[in-house]
Amino acid sequence: MSSANQVAERDAPFQLRGNSFTMMVLKVNAPNSQDFFPQLNVKVRQAPNFFRNAPVVLDFDELPDTVVFDLAAFIGQVRAHHLLPVGFQGGPRPVQEAALAAGLTPMPTGRAAKLEVAKGPDPRAANPAATVTIEVVHRPAVVVTEPVRSGTQIYAEKTDLIITASVSPGAELLADGNIHVYGALRGRALAGVSGDINARVFCHSLEAEVVSVAGIYRVSEDIGSDFFKKPVQVFLREGVLRMDLLKTV
């Protein structure tokens, strides 16, 4: 780009740029249940600083076609719990139309999909000889040697993230692969953000506000004294977020 074009772009009244953001998905299974918002309130109170004014996507994919509820009032209740619905996924046609009328944006589901492990050809398939080629893209790990300060977000796309220093409260680490912190992890660490259920979080001292693998998370109040301020690995097993102490010499 020429210098003249750069100046013109800088002085333009606006710029359109692509970016990526991490958002929680609130899966709505029973919107009419009397327990829905009391249970949501309990969850939000576990980590109010994490949930306050957090953007969320409402997932209506599991709703039956016969469901009837006041979506505008439902969204108001969600906002009353300090969550900000910005988009939606799936759902019956009337629910989708109501979501659009309420100003929510239809969101793709591709990044949230979990990876499936190939188990070989199905003998009942019509064409058992068909094969699928998977292209593996390798990228060097993102390595950060300085302390990660509060308010900083670091994203390692399609690779691992390695931090050789400590992470401050309010900082956020994201990686499509694993996250390694060779120091105190006091911020948020979200591994496998594209859906890799085999990703893990490793740290020398677990003091995190939130840890997550493939969208399954645990807040600081749920970590427990057995793992707090200790070397830990965080991983998924059978869809449940688990923790193990790292063996150190």
Side-chain angles (χ1 to χ4, degrees), residues 10-102:
R10 182 189 62 199
D11 296 336
F14 67 87
Q15 296 178 354
L16 291 175
R17 296 183 177 180
N19 209 331
S20 61
F21 299 91
T22 301
M23 287 187 291
M24 290 182 294
V25 175
L26 177 61
K27 193 169 185 63
V28 181
N29 296 325
N32 293 319
S33 172
Q34 295 180 351
D35 295 330
F36 190 100
F37 287 105
Q39 290 185 12
L40 180 61
N41 183 58
V42 170
K43 181 61 67 175
V44 170
R45 287 168 63 90
Q46 290 178 351
N49 292 331
F50 173 67
F51 288 108
R52 184 178 295 116
N53 296 328
V56 296
V57 175
L58 303 180
D59 183 353
F60 302 123
D61 197 49
E62 298 295 327
L63 289 182
D65 293 338
T66 56
V67 69
V68 177
F69 69 106
D70 187 339
L71 181 59
F74 181 85
I75 292 174
Q77 285 273 49
V78 173
R79 287 174 176 159
H81 287 77
H82 307 291
L83 299 174
L84 301 180
V86 297
F88 70 94
Q89 294 176 342
R93 177 62 62 181
V95 174
Q96 294 185 27
E97 292 175 350
L100 289 170

Side-chain angles (χ1 to χ4, degrees), residues 177-231:
N178 304 306
I179 295 177
H180 305 255
V181 178
Y182 296 99
L185 172 56
R186 302 188 184 94
R188 308 173 187 173
L190 293 79
V193 294
S194 290
D196 185 358
I197 61 175
N198 296 310
R200 299 193 176 208
V201 177
F202 305 87
C203 63
H204 277 197
S205 180
L206 180 60
E207 307 168 39
E209 299 166 354
V210 177
V211 288
S212 169
V213 176
I216 308 299
Y217 71 92
R218 187 180 295 189
V219 298
S220 58
E221 289 82 356
D222 296 332
I223 290 177
S225 58
D226 290 344
F227 303 105
F228 186 67
K229 289 189 176 182
K230 295 179 181 178

Side-chain angles (χ1 to χ4, degrees), residues 142-148 154 161-167 180 182:
V142 175
V143 180
V144 177
T145 59
E146 299 293 330
V148 182
I154 302 175
L161 175 59
I162 300 174
I163 309 293
T164 63
S166 293
V167 180
H180 305 255
Y182 296 99

